[in-house]
Amino acid sequence: GFDCSGYMQYIFAAHGITLPRVSQDQQSYCQPISIAEIKPGDLVFNHQSNSTHVGMYIGNDMFIHAPHTGDVIKISQLSTSNMKYSGRVLNRTDNQ
């Protein structure tokens, strides 16, 4: 099974993009953006810094995530979650 950051690392690696392993490092790696700017493929976090959970926005107010090790992958509604912070990986100059 996956934990949240391991799942994000797996998804990006499948597309040739290397992400750090833990959610706090993934958050630091991202370009911070406001939730109003979010696009599919952006990461969402539960804290402004040092987040303990990460998921990926997939559009239509939904995000995909691994709630915790041993649980199944879930799709959840962003606006009703505690995921209020976001960051962009896909436009980083080292990933283009």
Side-chain angles (χ1 to χ4, degrees):
F2 289 107
D3 65 1
C4 62
S5 57
Y7 183 50
M8 294 303 108
Q9 191 179 45
Y10 174 82
I11 290 171
F12 279 89
H15 297 281
I17 298 170
T18 302
L19 277 186
R21 174 61 184 93
V22 297
S23 58
Q24 296 91 344
D25 293 341
Q26 290 176 1
Q27 188 172 27
S28 294
Y29 183 78
C30 288
Q31 171 193 345
I33 58 169
S34 73
I35 287 288
E37 299 174 84
I38 200 165
K39 295 179 181 178
D42 290 338
L43 298 183
V44 293
F45 302 94
N46 63 339
H47 297 294
Q48 189 169 8
S49 63
N50 295 317
S51 286
T52 57
H53 193 57
V54 60
M56 179 188 288
Y57 185 66
I58 59 172
N60 297 320
D61 193 34
M62 305 301 278
F63 71 102
I64 191 165
H65 60 123
H68 55 81
T69 303
D71 200 351
V72 298
I73 302 300
K74 291 191 166 81
I75 295 175
S76 301
Q77 188 171 10
L78 183 62
S79 60
T80 60
S81 76
N82 67 342
M83 308 296 270
K84 304 298 182 197
Y85 305 94
S86 55
R88 186 158 291 153
V89 172
L90 298 179
N91 69 343
R92 287 179 50 97
T93 56
D94 56 346
N95 285 332
Q96 294 181 359

